[in-house]
Amino acid sequence: MAIDANKPYDDENIFAKILRGEIPSKKVYEDEWAYAFHDIAPQAPLHILVIPKGRYVSWNDFSASASSEEIAGFVRAVGKIARDHDLVEPGYRLLANVGENGGQEVPHFHIHLFGGKPLGRMISA
């Protein structure tokens, strides 16, 4: 099911429930700004989801509404997770799906961090 990135935040989405501890996750990292965990259906040898702790529907919402501190803290957390997993060399991919055409399925902004193998081209035409 695709998500409308402009709809209000839904406190009952699966990532909100994970943040509240109502649904278990395999935690990788947590700080004041971000929570990261292994994807339950990995698309690469390493597939981590990184979510902000704030109530943001999409990248669009996060980049427009989050404070400078939240944005900086979240971006630094994503970088730290990549470094902690030795992904800088040979490389990794970050992906944020936004809205229906972008394939967003959960109405809570999140970054997919992929690594552990050559990932090939991003999008085929």
Side-chain angles (χ1 to χ4, degrees):
M1 175 179 78
I3 300 301
D4 180 344
N6 295 310
K7 284 196 173 179
Y9 186 81
D10 174 9
D11 284 310
E12 294 305 309
N13 77 73
I14 191 169
F15 293 166
K17 290 179 179 183
I18 287 171
L19 282 171
R20 291 193 300 265
E22 296 170 9
I23 295 176
S25 65
K26 189 174 173 189
K27 181 169 76 170
V28 170
Y29 177 84
E30 183 174 16
D31 68 12
E32 179 180 358
W33 310 110
Y35 183 83
F37 54 98
H38 289 282
D39 192 291
I40 62 169
Q43 303 297 306
L46 185 70
H47 184 174
I48 295 171
L49 298 173
V50 187
I51 60 177
K53 289 192 170 178
R55 301 170 72 246
Y56 301 102
V57 174
S58 65
W59 170 256
N60 184 59
D61 184 20
F62 182 72
S63 65
S65 304
S67 70
S68 296
E69 292 81 13
E70 286 175 291
I71 293 170
F74 182 79
V75 170
R76 289 179 199 275
V78 172
K80 178 172 178 20
I81 294 161
R83 289 187 299 278
D84 287 352
H85 286 84
D86 297 319
L87 295 175
V88 175
E89 287 298 330
Y92 60 96
R93 177 172 296 153
L94 300 176
L95 173 71
N97 299 316
V98 180
E100 183 175 350
N101 280 358
Q104 184 178 358
E105 295 179 353
V106 178
H108 185 110
F109 168 54
H110 56 287
I111 296 283
H112 295 262
L113 177 90
F114 301 104
K117 73 173 188 175
L119 298 169
R121 293 182 51 86
M122 289 191 338
I123 299 173
S124 58

